[in-house]
Amino acid sequence: MTIHSIGSRAAVRSAETRVAAYDWQALAGEMSGYGCAVMEKLLTPQECREVAGLYPDESNFRSHVHMARHGFGKGEYRYFRYPLPELIGGLRTALYPRLAAVANDWNQRMSIAQRYPDEHAAFLKQCHDQGQTRPTPLLLQYGPGDFNCLHQDLYGDLAFPLQVAILLSEPGKDFTGGEFVLTEQRPRMQSRAEVVPLRQGDAVAFAVHNRPVQGSKGSYRVNLRHGVSRLRSGMRHTVGIIFHDAK
């Protein structure tokens, strides 16, 4: 699949084929057990280079954020504008139904009334009806010394409980350091950290805000945040696929 040359329906069909190749029962178990799961080699090295290569062209994006100006960390990122690049838009559409099944199970276990429709277009309509119309997929760039503080990508009242980040650079070759970190705060307990090892093209699906944990008296909610540790050297690019739109 190329970045721009495939029509949207073809892009979605291509993305659905590669997404279907994963063991989603196992991935759902990982997400429910640890708050995250890795999809190895979701993108090819060539696709990773093509997506990272979009960063300098401002016409691809709606806004540019320097993290240090807002206390978010150090580094920068750009939010894509609509229409999204075909590769990113296709994956966003294809990944959503698989993750929606996990999200609905989580909400049922946490006694949250919200249920997510089967198709991403229907969920985006819900976002737009609430005034959340700005696209949220983004491309992040880190240089030496850059990092991303622990945070949650919510963007509005309606937020999808899972998101996906894809590493576009190769650890040990393009950069060192810069590990993806997830922390989890359980009630009346110390925080737990999960450092997720990724290679170029690997994707991690992870909880945006809360997930259920089984306790002795049923499921309870834990709070999660994610970030990136300090880059030691080189340049690191990541694409983030967030499924709700922003106000």
Side-chain angles (χ1 to χ4, degrees):
M1 190 192 304
T2 60
I3 296 296
H4 291 292
S5 62
I6 301 177
S8 59
R9 291 183 181 179
V12 171
R13 287 196 297 269
S14 177
E16 286 174 343
T17 298
R18 73 171 80 189
V19 166
Y22 292 93
D23 182 345
W24 282 94
Q25 183 175 355
L27 291 173
E30 287 281 314
M31 285 182 267
S32 293
Y34 303 102
C36 62
V38 174
M39 292 169 277
E40 295 182 351
K41 299 180 180 178
L42 181 63
L43 298 186
T44 68
Q46 178 62 29
E47 288 169 337
C48 289
R49 289 189 289 270
E50 289 179 357
V51 175
L54 298 175
Y55 196 86
D57 186 353
E58 294 184 2
S59 67
N60 295 304
F61 306 97
R62 66 171 176 84
S63 66
H64 186 184
V65 177
H66 292 272
M67 297 186 200
R69 295 177 184 173
H70 306 277
F72 296 163
K74 187 180 177 185
E76 58 185 78
Y77 54 86
R78 288 178 164 176
Y79 287 104
F80 287 103
R81 66 172 69 251
Y82 280 134
L84 300 175
E86 297 285 1
L87 179 61
I88 305 306
L91 286 172
R92 195 185 192 205
T93 300
L95 287 164
Y96 170 85
R98 308 282 182 167
L99 298 175
V102 177
N104 285 331
D105 174 64
W106 284 7
N107 278 8
Q108 181 178 4
R109 292 173 58 191
M110 292 186 292
S111 300
I112 297 174
Q114 174 75 43
R115 295 293 182 270
Y116 301 95
D118 293 336
E119 295 185 358
H120 191 233
F123 176 64
L124 285 182
K125 184 179 185 305
Q126 293 180 0
C127 290
H128 296 175
D129 288 345
Q130 293 197 25
Q132 297 177 210
T133 59
R134 296 190 298 164
T136 49
L138 69 165
L139 188 54
L140 302 101
Q141 177 175 278
Y142 301 86
D146 290 353
F147 62 95
N148 198 344
C149 295
L150 295 170
H151 65 284
Q152 299 169 328
D153 296 311
L154 297 176
Y155 300 117
D157 294 333
L158 185 57
F160 191 70
L162 291 146
Q163 69 189 68
V164 173
I166 309 170
L167 182 61
L168 304 176
S169 308
E170 180 61 31
K173 178 182 177 182
D174 298 323
F175 71 95
T176 60
E179 294 87 357
F180 179 87
V181 179
L182 191 71
T183 65
E184 180 177 274
Q185 178 60 60
R186 302 188 183 194
R188 299 176 298 280
M189 298 175 67
Q190 293 183 330
S191 295
R192 181 184 71 87
E194 184 91 8
V195 178
V196 182
L198 299 170
R199 307 298 301 182
Q200 184 181 44
D202 289 352
V204 56
F206 58 96
V208 173
H209 185 202
N210 299 122
R211 76 173 181 91
V213 171
Q214 185 64 39
S216 60
K217 298 180 180 179
S219 295
Y220 60 93
R221 302 182 198 184
V222 297
N223 191 50
L224 296 102
R225 297 179 183 273
H226 64 279
V228 174
S229 69
R230 177 168 57 93
L231 208 73
R232 306 285 179 170
S233 65
M235 187 74 72
R236 179 188 191 272
H237 287 94
T238 308
V239 64
I241 300 179
I242 298 165
F243 296 92
H244 48 272
D245 277 353
K247 285 190 174 180

